[in-house]
Amino acid sequence: MAASMFTSGAILSRKLLSVRVLSECVRVTNLRCLSSGLVEEQPNFPGSRSKWTESLDFVQPDLYDGIPVYRVMDRKGNIIDPASDPKLDKDTVVKMYQRMTLLNTMDRIMYESQRQGRISFYMTNYGEEGTHIGSAAALDDNDLVYGQYREAGVLMWRGFPLDRFMNQCYGNEGDQGKGRQMPVHYGSTEHNFVTISSPLATQMPQAVGSAYAFKRAQNGQCVICYFGEGTSSEGDAHAAFNFSATLECPVLFFCRNNGYAISTPTSEQYRGDGVAARGPAYGIATIRVDGNDVFAVYNATKAARHITITENRPVLIEAMTYRIGHHSTSDDSSAYRSVDEVRQWDSTQHPIARLRAYMVTQQWWDETQEKAWKDDCKRQVMQSFARAERRHKPSWKEMFTDVYDEVPDHIREQYEYMAAHVAEYEEHYPVKNFVKNE
Ligand SMILES: Cc1ncc(C[n+]2csc(CCOP(=O)(O)OP(=O)(O)O)c2C)c(N)n1
């Protein structure tokens, strides 16, 4: 036993000796390489850009203070540095303000109409109007938009008519989706706006696919993909980021970080420095902006668009904002946040109030104009709303069309069953409200 211990000890010390000799040889060889101009001291692992280190240090997540928030205006609507003022002309700024306020008015009326049982569901955009209008105004109207669901202002900027918003929310015969989608799931080929899908983040890899097609077509357009910070935790978001960076395609990821994913606050969603910190890790140029400052959003989107198009690479914008409304009409946010918190954001940081203050300073807007415009907005929305409410629902038969080129047998059977059922029990259904389509 003792002999074998002695033997293994001798082997160990011989091994240690040979390791020491070997490392000395390597050191000497490295020095020789260095003196001959070779860079053998650099790691050469595939995909690595690092240097060697002998310090046993972990990279800590709180290494720095966080990516700063780019802004142009202060909270009172004053331009901080004249050099960053986008110097938009009066007509453009007034149009931005009018679209932001029209969106706000539409939201109020549609929200109420859901509460009265006139539509089935709605999602407001309160507090996020600056992210929509600031980004949409900086794009070319031919750029393709993939939205999440809380980006109605982008469509409004592009001239999607109020009647189409209303027809979609009512799911009436004027709705191009023929009532087959939930309210607020807009889409429009003419406005280059891909129809919204409810499952979160599905739009993200799709947007990258479109951007890759744009790159191949060399059409000079980019794709913008909106998503909430909650959605950035989906696997599809990570796939999309990496895919876009490796494919080097013109996609602009626009994160609306509004503080909540339904009831989950950002403090429970991630431990890193928000969504922006992930950009550089994927090799994506990134900026964080004040989403309640419409000019900051405008400048960032314009610059980002330029990068995506001229350099064929993705850009990530994280727009910091606050969801003032409930998540949707199915939510009551007082269950998970205080009314004071909401009031604070509404009263001190609202993007609409900030832009109005700027316009007043420029003497482009006053109380009389404000009142006249508010009345006009309300009238436009109410008239459109009344028109949509009067229209018929699409024929129930539309449920069975538009999916298959040739209707398969099992769908045809279901159709025939439904037709017989409706014929037999017609008096129990509000068939008079539906388009009759023989
Ligand atoms: C794959 C998937 N998971 C869950 C949901 C349910 N859901 C709908 S909206 C939402 C929160 C999304 O939050 P965020 O992306 O931050 O957008 P916000 O609503 O705040 O604008 C969740 C969890 C869904 N629609 N799809």
Side-chain angles (χ1 to χ4, degrees):
M1 174 63 126
S4 73
M5 272 178 71
F6 173 80
T7 319
S8 58
I11 291 172
L12 191 64
S13 55
R14 261 204 310 275
K15 269 193 181 160
L16 282 176
L17 182 68
S18 56
V19 167
R20 256 185 242 127
V21 170
L22 192 65
S23 53
E24 182 61 13
C25 290
V26 170
R27 198 180 70 82
V28 170
T29 317
N30 271 341
L31 287 176
R32 279 202 203 108
C33 286
L34 278 180
S35 63
S36 66
L38 291 176
V39 280
E40 286 285 325
E41 282 288 0
Q42 299 288 338
N44 60 346
F45 304 111
S48 156
R49 292 185 295 194
S50 312
K51 297 192 166 101
W52 294 117
T53 177
E54 284 73 43
S55 318
L56 182 60
D57 290 333
F58 292 87
V59 179
Q60 296 297 339
D62 54 358
L63 191 68
Y64 63 100
D65 291 339
I67 296 172
V69 184
Y70 169 74
R71 63 178 180 161
V72 171
M73 287 190 277
D74 65 16
R75 289 180 180 153
K76 299 214 172 332
N78 302 308
I79 302 281
I80 298 164
D81 174 2
S84 12
D85 183 349
K87 297 203 170 62
L88 298 171
D89 60 49
K90 178 182 168 188
D91 287 352
T92 308
V93 175
V94 170
K95 179 178 166 189
M96 288 167 106
Y97 180 74
Q98 291 185 328
R99 296 291 155 100
M100 285 163 78
T101 42
L102 182 62
L103 172 64
N104 192 266
T105 309
M106 179 176 87
D107 278 352
R108 285 178 201 283
I109 291 172
M110 296 311 276
Y111 184 82
E112 283 309 314
S113 81
Q114 193 281 339
R115 284 293 179 251
Q116 294 163 6
R118 300 161 94 150
I119 59 172
S120 58
F121 176 83
Y122 195 70
M123 295 177 109
T124 61
N125 304 276
Y126 301 147
E128 298 183 46
E129 297 87 348
T131 63
H132 301 187
I133 302 301
S135 57
L139 294 170
D140 182 298
D141 283 355
N142 291 319
D143 293 335
L144 186 63
V145 179
Y146 280 84
Q148 180 160 307
Y149 45 64
R150 210 185 296 284
E151 294 89 10
V154 175
L155 263 176
M156 201 164 255
W157 177 262
R158 289 195 173 182
F160 190 69
L162 273 178
D163 280 2
R164 283 186 64 185
F165 281 109
M166 302 290 157
N167 290 341
Q168 200 286 329
C169 288
Y170 265 94
N172 67 21
E173 60 183 312
D175 170 26
Q176 294 196 337
K178 301 179 182 173
R180 291 179 286 204
Q181 282 259 41
M182 283 172 77
V184 313
H185 288 55
Y186 312 111
S188 174
T189 313
E190 307 94 284
H191 299 91
N192 298 302
F193 192 100
V194 178
T195 305
I196 304 299
S197 4
S198 293
L200 298 174
T202 46
Q203 78 274 22
M204 299 181 72
Q206 292 168 4
V208 180
S210 293
Y212 188 57
F214 280 16
K215 174 181 173 175
R216 287 172 59 98
Q218 298 182 0
N219 64 3
Q221 303 296 145
C222 77
V223 176
I224 185 162
C225 177
Y226 292 91
F227 57 100
E229 87 295 333
T231 294
S232 73
S233 295
E234 284 287 341
D236 271 358
H238 301 276
F241 292 146
N242 199 41
F243 196 26
S244 71
T246 51
L247 289 178
E248 299 175 343
C249 50
V251 60
L252 202 170
F253 291 110
F254 192 103
C255 176
R256 296 175 294 96
N257 189 336
N258 62 16
Y260 289 90
I262 314 188
S263 55
T264 310
T266 47
S267 57
E268 290 173 28
Q269 289 179 39
Y270 48 72
R271 287 287 175 276
D273 178 24
V275 178
R278 299 175 206 169
Y282 283 107
I284 300 178
T286 300
I287 189 167
R288 173 174 284 148
V289 300
D290 180 351
N292 297 341
D293 173 348
V294 71
F295 293 149
V297 176
Y298 177 88
N299 282 352
T301 311
K302 207 170 176 60
R305 180 179 193 272
H306 183 75
I307 295 172
T308 61
I309 294 198
T310 54
E311 300 175 30
N312 257 332
R313 62 188 177 109
V315 176
L316 170 62
I317 296 178
E318 182 182 19
M320 309 308 291
T321 180
Y322 187 83
R323 196 196 76 212
I324 291 175
H326 302 296
H327 169 73
S328 72
T329 46
S330 311
D331 175 46
D332 170 10
S333 68
S334 66
Y336 54 83
R337 61 181 184 178
S338 72
V339 174
D340 281 349
E341 178 186 309
V342 180
R343 198 174 296 131
Q344 190 269 330
W345 282 94
D346 198 12
S347 59
T348 62
Q349 310 223 23
H350 206 292
I352 292 182
R354 203 180 293 188
L355 183 59
R356 184 168 55 235
Y358 170 86
M359 289 161 63
V360 169
T361 311
Q362 302 294 312
Q363 299 186 329
W364 291 347
W365 201 251
D366 59 25
E367 275 305 313
T368 321
Q369 282 161 303
E370 176 72 11
K371 185 170 178 336
W373 171 244
K374 267 192 173 158
D375 291 348
D376 187 24
C377 266
K378 204 162 168 196
R379 186 187 48 76
Q380 285 187 47
V381 177
M382 289 307 291
Q383 285 179 353
S384 175
F385 174 78
R387 278 194 293 273
E389 199 165 46
R390 278 198 299 272
R391 295 186 76 168
H392 282 95
K393 301 283 179 211
S395 163
W396 60 263
K397 294 178 184 170
E398 304 277 15
M399 269 198 298
F400 299 92
T401 58
D402 291 344
V403 175
Y404 297 98
D405 184 23
E406 277 180 36
V407 180
D409 290 346
H410 70 286
I411 300 287
R412 187 176 304 284
E413 268 170 37
Q414 289 175 24
Y415 167 79
E416 281 161 9
Y417 179 84
M418 173 105 176
H421 179 85
V422 173
E424 189 172 354
Y425 299 105
E426 196 167 330
E427 74 274 21
H428 298 289
Y429 292 101
V431 280
K432 64 173 186 0
N433 298 340
F434 290 72
V435 170
K436 252 194 152 37
N437 174 4
E438 293 316 323

